[in-house]
Amino acid sequence: MTSAGMLASRLEYARFEKDRWKQVTQVDWKSIKDENVKRQFKVLSKLGTAALPEDRLEKYDQLQSGMERTYSTARVCNLNGTSCDLSLEPDLSEIMANSRDPEELEHVWLAWRENTGKKMRNSYKEFVELINEAAELNGFSDGTELWLDVYDTADFQSQIARLWDQLTPLYEQLHAYVRGRLRQHYGEEVVSRDGPIPAHLLGNMWSQSWGNLLDICKPYPEKASVDVTPQMKAQGYTPLKMFQMSDEFFTSLGLIPMTPEFWNRSILEKPDDGRELVCHASAWDFYDGKDVRIKQCTVVTLEDLITAHHEMGHIEYFLQYAGQPQVFKTGANPGFHEAVGDTLALSVATPKHLKKIGLLEEVINDPEVDMNFLMSVALDKIAFLPFGYVMDKWRWGVFSGDISEDDLNCEWWKLRLGLQGIEPPQVRSEMDFDPGAKYHIPGNVPYIRYFVSFIIQFQFHKALCITANQYDPNDRARPLHQCDIYNNKEAGKKLAKMLSMGASKPWPDAMEAITGQREMDATALRDYFQPLEDWLKRENQENQEIIGWKTDEPVCT
Ligand SMILES: C=C(C[SeH])C(=O)N1CCC[C@H]1C(=O)O
Ligand SMILES: [Zn+2]
């Protein structure tokens, strides 16, 4: 469909939404006794960006599709300039993951931002005005209030701040250890003893997950690591096989199998016919209980096998709540939708499960192999937390006006330095717009959902592991990080019960259905990583690593 065609259908749908909204506002729905019906009206009483006058909505869509197009068509040159057609997926992501040449990493890091964020700065400023205009038309103060309304939680932002405070000590231990290993690898000239970590050395274009540094950060380098990418390639894995394996995990729990429409209509590999595609992985619901699809430019790596489970989690959720009224066909809150696949992936990534599926020859019951595994999970899950927070803490500040439009980039780097303890390879300025180098900013996808997901997926995992008799808090022989719920129908039943609720009840009810708790709680995450946290404290003490980082060096002027 052309962008003009997409625009026309967007406007037509906005007209439909506005008509429906006008009808709803004429009903005294707040006095309806039936809780389920009242809840449906409450959802329909919010209009979102469709409240904008048509010319402003058209501008909103034009700005967003323009920024997304800039992002998804960006190409950069390699270090020596012999090729200038490198795209993010797979080229630049592969370099950021595997290159150990600081000069090449710095070049790719800078070139990507030059060709994405920097080109979007003015569009984004105008886009923020329209988000705030839509918020006010919905009776909210700004875009932040509009975005957080879906959580229906009065003190949501302070709950997030509290969760991050609880997890900062663990993050600082990991940060100190990783900085130490990177300093050993690259030398003190490149990585200091007490400063922030250079962002381009962390194995990922946005420093959001550090799992690609396992070769440098493995606690016991001489012992097996669980990055089974080589075995996947050696066994001739294909993207299709990766999704079939994920489907098999879901059905082993008694959950709903992927539909024929899914297999016939999904795009599981980057097309090689020159079609431009937004390669960022996504899952799509066509709301008929059968037509569900994934679009993912999958490569054969463990990282993409985990992402495949992440996206299949969205699909399973779509299928489970297909019987709900239309307005309830979504997650209990956006974090729930992001947590489903990751929860199952916590079982898939275990050495025990990788052996079951033939990707690990043997699982040596060796505490050092175990520590290597825990480190691989922490490099993704713990490293991610401050990034997940920064992405929306910055946008909340921009929408509310706490961050002025003249300070967009330097306020971004103040948060990146303060919360993540990372610094850019070169001092940045307000000529740059580095937030725009991350898909979810031009794509206008709220991000705190992933922070919420990384907390609650451990609550879900812990509850399902207890149900599957794979974890007993009082039995050290069965630690949480070794749990694999594969094939357990009881755990599957408990998960399905929560998923089938969709958004028909407030999210604490859905949380209670699976965990017995009614709030987000970081205890399960801390329990999972306890053995690693103890190890990190000993290791950092032995190596006299400094915990924390200096913030006096300018990162943006
Ligand atoms: C996989 C998706 C699509 Se819903 C995604 O955007 N994620 C999953 C983890 C965090 C975030 C990212 O890639 O930045
Ligand atoms: Zn997702």
Side-chain angles (χ1 to χ4, degrees):
M1 184 191 279
T2 63
S3 53
M6 284 166 72
L7 211 50
S9 63
R10 174 84 165 94
L11 287 177
E12 190 187 337
Y13 188 63
R15 284 184 201 120
F16 158 73
E17 285 182 301
K18 212 171 269 187
D19 288 346
R20 183 176 63 179
W21 174 71
K22 280 185 189 134
Q23 291 171 49
V24 165
T25 49
Q26 280 146 27
V27 172
D28 175 19
W29 55 267
K30 288 180 182 163
S31 58
I32 293 175
K33 294 283 173 279
D34 182 313
E35 280 307 316
N36 187 286
V37 172
K38 183 154 71 171
R39 187 172 172 81
Q40 293 183 55
F41 270 103
K42 183 178 177 190
V43 174
L44 292 170
S45 70
K46 314 269 170 67
L47 191 49
T49 49
L52 286 168
E54 286 207 2
D55 60 333
R56 304 290 282 158
L57 181 60
E58 200 163 345
K59 184 66 182 164
Y60 176 93
D61 283 331
Q62 278 165 353
L63 285 167
Q64 185 182 342
S65 48
M67 291 190 289
E68 267 203 86
R69 194 168 34 257
T70 299
Y71 185 91
S72 54
T73 59
R75 298 288 181 271
V76 304
C77 300
N78 61 6
L79 180 59
N80 56 22
T82 51
S83 160
C84 287
D85 192 30
L86 300 187
S87 59
L88 177 66
E89 306 285 356
D91 310 316
L92 304 183
S93 297
E94 195 281 328
I95 293 170
M96 296 308 291
N98 300 316
S99 170
R100 296 292 178 259
D101 171 359
E103 196 188 350
E104 178 179 36
L105 290 166
E106 176 173 336
H107 164 77
V108 166
W109 191 96
L110 292 168
W112 175 250
R113 282 153 181 80
E114 197 67 21
N115 287 279
T116 53
K118 189 164 192 171
K119 295 179 175 176
M120 297 176 199
R121 186 185 176 100
N122 293 332
S123 294
Y124 194 75
K125 284 182 189 174
E126 203 177 342
F127 190 64
V128 168
E129 285 167 23
L130 286 162
I131 290 178
N132 281 333
E133 195 177 315
E136 284 154 28
L137 287 167
N138 280 272
F140 295 113
S141 53
D142 57 35
T144 303
E145 210 187 338
L146 172 67
W147 273 20
L148 296 184
D149 180 59
V150 70
Y151 290 91
D152 198 12
T153 305
D155 62 340
F156 180 78
Q157 288 172 289
S158 46
Q159 283 191 29
I160 297 296
R162 252 196 324 277
L163 288 165
W164 173 238
D165 288 346
Q166 270 181 282
L167 296 165
T168 303
L170 175 52
Y171 178 76
E172 288 176 349
Q173 289 294 331
L174 181 69
H175 177 279
Y177 170 78
V178 169
R179 181 178 54 196
R181 284 299 181 98
L182 287 171
R183 188 172 64 254
Q184 273 174 13
H185 187 86
Y186 289 111
E188 195 137 353
E189 285 310 299
V190 179
V191 183
S192 72
R193 289 193 65 79
D194 60 358
I197 299 175
H200 60 301
L201 302 180
L202 285 162
N204 173 275
M205 180 63 86
W206 307 281
S207 316
Q208 72 181 68
S209 59
W210 303 349
N212 292 312
L213 294 184
L214 190 57
D215 58 321
I216 294 175
C217 295
K218 228 167 40 165
Y220 300 97
E222 70 292 349
K223 291 292 176 71
S225 91
V226 286
D227 183 355
V228 291
T229 301
Q231 289 87 325
M232 290 172 69
K233 293 183 174 9
Q235 292 182 27
Y237 270 57
T238 61
L240 178 61
K241 179 178 168 66
M242 291 158 70
F243 283 90
Q244 288 167 336
M245 285 175 67
S246 179
D247 184 33
E248 201 277 326
F249 193 104
F250 280 84
T251 51
S252 83
L253 299 176
L255 296 172
I256 302 168
M258 293 302 127
T259 62
E261 290 82 356
F262 171 81
W263 297 113
N264 296 330
R265 299 175 186 173
S266 291
I267 299 176
L268 303 180
E269 289 185 72
K270 184 172 186 177
D272 55 9
D273 56 10
R275 245 183 302 166
E276 277 304 341
L277 193 78
V278 174
C279 258
H280 191 83
S282 55
W284 301 75
D285 187 0
F286 289 78
Y287 294 103
D288 65 359
K290 295 180 298 182
D291 192 352
V292 286
R293 308 177 200 179
I294 283 174
K295 174 168 57 70
Q296 182 173 329
C297 300
T298 314
V299 291
V300 179
T301 61
L302 177 63
E303 186 177 9
D304 268 20
L305 179 64
I306 302 298
T307 301
H309 282 77
H310 174 96
E311 296 306 328
M312 295 282 265
H314 289 302
I315 301 289
E316 186 64 33
Y317 214 165
F318 297 154
L319 297 173
Q320 289 285 346
Y321 57 52
Q324 289 286 352
Q326 180 62 26
V327 286
F328 292 156
K329 288 183 178 177
T330 185
N333 77 38
F336 277 65
H337 232 299
E338 300 306 335
V340 180
D342 283 11
T343 301
L344 272 59
L346 287 172
S347 288
V348 170
T350 59
K352 181 163 53 174
H353 189 78
L354 293 173
K355 177 174 183 317
K356 270 180 206 160
I357 56 177
L359 283 172
L360 266 188
E361 275 72 51
E362 53 176 308
V363 175
I364 319 127
N365 207 356
D366 175 338
E368 294 182 349
V369 173
D370 212 31
M371 203 54 75
N372 285 350
F373 164 66
L374 260 178
M375 179 62 75
S376 71
V377 184
L379 290 172
D380 283 334
K381 302 292 184 184
I382 305 299
F384 177 84
L385 291 167
F387 176 76
Y389 193 12
V390 164
M391 281 285 284
D392 276 1
K393 194 170 170 63
W394 178 79
R395 282 190 282 193
W396 298 338
V398 174
F399 295 155
S400 66
D402 291 347
I403 292 178
S404 115
E405 66 171 30
D406 301 327
D407 305 328
L408 293 177
N409 207 43
C410 289
E411 285 298 315
W412 167 259
W413 278 106
K414 194 187 284 182
L415 285 172
R416 291 273 255 171
L417 174 62
L419 289 179
Q420 283 188 268
I422 65 171
E423 62 181 355
Q426 289 176 8
V427 175
R428 310 297 285 163
S429 80
E430 290 303 338
M431 298 301 288
D432 304 306
F433 181 60
D434 296 328
K438 174 64 188 171
Y439 170 75
H440 297 68
I441 303 290
N444 199 40
V445 179
Y447 208 84
I448 202 65
R449 62 183 60 176
Y450 300 109
F451 181 95
V452 168
S453 159
F454 277 46
I455 301 290
I456 65 177
Q457 65 187 248
F458 287 92
Q459 289 177 261
F460 296 171
H461 184 60
K462 182 174 177 178
L464 296 179
C465 290
I466 290 171
T467 301
N469 203 21
Q470 282 273 319
Y471 167 61
D472 172 348
N474 306 311
D475 178 0
R476 293 172 68 86
R478 275 183 294 165
L480 185 54
H481 67 274
Q482 287 179 0
C483 157
D484 173 14
I485 62 170
Y486 181 69
N487 249 344
N488 191 279
K489 301 294 186 288
E490 280 314 301
K493 229 181 267 162
K494 179 173 263 190
L495 179 59
K497 180 176 160 231
M498 183 277 279
L499 297 176
S500 60
M501 294 165 69
S504 60
K505 293 279 189 318
W507 69 260
D509 293 9
M511 172 67 83
E512 189 169 34
I514 193 169
T515 67
Q517 294 174 288
R518 292 186 60 80
E519 67 287 322
M520 294 183 283
D521 177 358
T523 305
L525 184 150
R526 296 293 297 262
D527 289 349
Y528 180 97
F529 288 106
Q530 196 57 57
L532 179 73
E533 185 168 2
D534 296 342
W535 185 87
L536 283 168
K537 283 177 181 164
R538 289 195 302 274
E539 187 76 4
N540 286 331
Q541 199 150 32
E542 247 169 63
N543 299 333
Q544 297 176 310
E545 292 296 347
I546 291 157
I547 309 302
W549 50 88
K550 285 190 319 188
T551 56
D552 51 3
E553 300 280 312
V555 292
C556 184
T557 56

